[in-house]
Amino acid sequence: MAPLSHGTPASRVQPELAVNPLHGAANPAAAMTESPPENRLPEAPLAPATAYQLVHDELMLDGNARLNLATFVTTWMEPEAGLVMADCRDKNMIDKDEYPRTAELERRCVAMLADLWHAPDPSAAVGCSTTGSSEACMLAGMALKRRWALRNADRYPGARPNLVMGVNVQVCWDKFCAYWEVEARQVPMEGERFHLDPRAAAELCDENTIGVVGILGSTFDGSYEPIAELCTALDELQERTGLDIPVHVDGASGAMIAPFLDQELLWDFRLPRVASVNTSGHKYGLVYPGVGWALWRDAEALPEELVFRVNYLGGDMPTFALNFSRPGAQVAAQYYMFLRLGREGYRAVQQATRDVARGLAGRIGALGDFRLLTRGEELPVFAFTTAPDIRAYDVFDVSRRLREAGWLVPAYTFPAHREDLAVCRVVCRNGFTSDLAALLLDDLGRVLPELREQPRPLVRDRGAETPFHHCEEAVPPPLAEPSAPRFG
C-alpha cells in the first residue's frame, strides 16, 4: 500500500559535484565530475561499490527503525532469520509447482495458526499468506460480500451491501468499502469508550449487512474490542429477527498476543459466529515486513468461486490472493519463527514486551503531567494525553521534542465524537527493551521542564509534525488551525 509518487520535484536542482572521489574506481578522479542524475537513468553504469555507497549514504538520513514507536511492524530479527530470508528472496511465492517446499512451509503455517486459533477442525480450515493485514482484510471482506450475495441472489445487485465496524478500524477497511462498493457503517466513540460497542453494532445491522468487523487490538490505544460480547449481541439479533450476521476478527496485532498471554479470552474460532481471522506476521508474529495471514473457519466460509487452482506436484493447489508475484522470504521467516520459538517462546517474548509497556506506562503516568488512557494491559501499547491542568504544551509538542532525540512517538486526534481528545501512543515491540524504555523516559524527563515554561502549545501544523502515518493504521485527519482548542 505504497503512496502515489510524482515525477521530478520542480525545486530540485542537480548539483555539479556531490560524490566523494574516493567512491570511484582505481583512478578516484576518473568520470566523477558530477553525481548520477536523480530522476532519469544515468548514461553509463557505476561500479557496484559506488552505487551501493550512494544509496547507503542517502538511507542514513532515514529515522532509526528501532526508535520508531509509531509502527507495529517488526524492526528486529535474529541474524539466522536474515539468512533464511536470503535463501528465499529469489523465490516467487506464486510459483508453487517450482518451489514446492516454500509452498509447503506456507501450508504448515496456515495449519499452525488454525490450531492456535482453535478452528473446530484445523485440517478443514482454509487460509493463505498475504503481504500484510491490509490484503488479508480485503480478502476477508471479499468473502463476506460474496457469501452475502449468494444468500441474497434474488435482491443483489439491486440491494447495497453494508459492513459494520467501529470508527477506530484501520484505514484498509475504509478502502475495502470504497473499492468493493460496500457501505461502511461505523460505530462512533463515546466518552471513555474508544472502540466498538457490541449493542450499537448490532443495531446498525440489517438484511444487507455482510458482516461485522471486530478489532483485537485497536491501533488508537491498544485495547481489545469485546469480540465475545459482539457475538452475543448478534446471537440475540438473530433470535429477534432471523438475521445471521458473521463476524470477522481483525487480529492484525492481537491474534499473535492473546493466544499466548490471554488464553481464557474468547475471541477466535471457539465462537461459532467468527467466520474468519487475520493477523500480521510482520507485527507480533515477529517477522520483517511484509507478511500477513488470512484464515477461514472452514471451506464453507470461503466461497469456492473466489478460489483459483493451480497444478501443484500433480495435485491441486488452491490460491486466493490479490497480489501475484512476491518473494517467499517472509513466509519462510514466519515458519522459522514458529519453529524457533514455539508456544513457550512466543509467550516469553510477548510477556516481556507487555511488561515493558506496563512499566513504561506506569512511569510516564507517575510524572504527573499526563493522563493514561491505556496501560499496555492488552496489546503492549499505551496511549496518554496531557493532564487537565497542563496549559503550556500539548501532546503534539511532546511528539516534536522527542523526535529531536530520535524517538518517533506519534501524536494524533481521535475520530468522530472524540475529536476533542489528542494523545501520544507508544508501541512496544520485540527489541524495544527495558533499557531503551528507560532512555525514552530520560529524554522525556529532560524536555518536560522546557515544555512547562512555554507560553502556550507551539505546534501549529499538527499534520506535519505527527509521525502517525503508518499505512496499515487508521490515520485521523490533521488539525491545522492555530486557533483550535487545546487537547487534553
Side-chain angles (χ1 to χ4, degrees), residues 67-357:
L67 303 184
N68 183 359
L69 304 183
T71 183
F72 287 76
V73 171
T74 296
T75 55
W76 181 85
M77 291 186 76
E78 296 170 315
E80 290 81 0
L83 296 176
V84 168
M85 296 182 76
D87 289 341
C88 291
R89 62 189 173 194
D90 60 343
K91 296 179 181 179
N92 190 349
M93 249 337 280
I94 201 64
D95 290 338
K96 299 182 186 300
D97 57 338
E98 294 188 16
Y99 307 116
R101 301 322 300 169
T102 305
E104 171 63 12
L105 298 190
E106 179 186 29
R107 187 204 63 77
R108 293 179 190 175
C109 287
V110 168
M112 290 176 177
L113 290 171
D115 178 66
L116 185 68
W117 296 339
H118 300 98
D121 180 2
S123 65
V126 292
C128 62
S129 67
T130 64
T131 55
S133 273
S134 293
E135 182 189 359
C137 290
M138 297 282 178
L139 297 178
M142 288 168 58
L144 290 175
K145 182 180 179 183
R146 188 58 60 93
R147 288 180 64 195
W148 171 86
L150 292 173
R151 293 195 306 267
N152 295 273
D154 57 330
R155 299 188 306 113
Y156 183 75
R160 186 186 183 194
N162 65 73
L163 181 67
V164 175
M165 64 196 92
V167 72
N168 57 305
V169 295
Q170 292 128 319
V171 70
C172 65
W173 287 107
D174 297 308
K175 289 189 174 186
F176 165 77
C177 290
Y179 295 165
W180 273 271
E181 299 181 329
V182 173
E183 176 191 356
R185 295 186 176 179
Q186 295 187 328
V187 179
M189 295 180 177
E190 296 289 352
E192 294 300 298
R193 176 181 56 76
F194 303 124
H195 53 230
L196 175 144
D197 173 74
R199 306 294 171 187
E203 290 174 3
L204 291 177
C205 296
D206 58 24
E207 67 275 11
N208 294 327
T209 301
I210 65 174
V212 180
V213 176
I215 308 293
L216 196 69
S218 172
T219 59
F220 278 90
D221 63 356
S223 61
Y224 292 161
E225 289 192 331
I227 306 299
E229 289 85 345
L230 173 62
C231 290
T232 298
L234 294 175
D235 289 343
E236 295 170 354
L237 176 69
Q238 184 175 7
E239 291 177 3
R240 295 193 310 270
T241 67
L243 295 174
D244 185 8
I245 309 295
V247 168
H248 172 77
V249 177
D250 183 349
S253 295
M256 291 304 295
I257 295 287
F260 307 109
L261 302 186
D262 309 295
Q263 296 178 353
E264 301 305 314
L265 181 69
L266 290 177
W267 64 272
D268 55 14
F269 291 123
R270 287 172 290 182
L271 299 168
R273 196 165 291 277
V274 172
S276 50
V277 178
N278 72 273
T279 197
S280 289
H282 61 224
K283 293 180 181 175
Y284 291 101
L286 308 181
V287 175
Y288 285 137
V291 61
W293 301 92
L295 269 71
W296 288 264
R297 168 181 293 275
D298 48 37
E300 183 181 353
L302 178 60
E304 176 66 23
E305 60 197 84
L306 293 178
V307 179
F308 289 81
R309 301 188 176 276
V310 297
N311 185 279
Y312 169 60
L313 291 180
D316 182 60
M317 170 62 73
T319 66
F320 182 36
L322 295 178
N323 289 283
F324 201 72
S325 295
R326 58 187 174 92
Q330 285 81 4
V331 168
Q334 184 73 86
Y335 185 66
Y336 166 86
M337 290 306 302
F338 286 169
L339 285 184
R340 169 74 175 87
L341 293 177
R343 288 178 181 257
E344 288 303 317
Y346 266 98
R347 184 174 295 113
V349 170
Q350 313 300 36
Q351 185 64 60
T353 306
R354 182 180 278 181
D355 290 345
V356 170

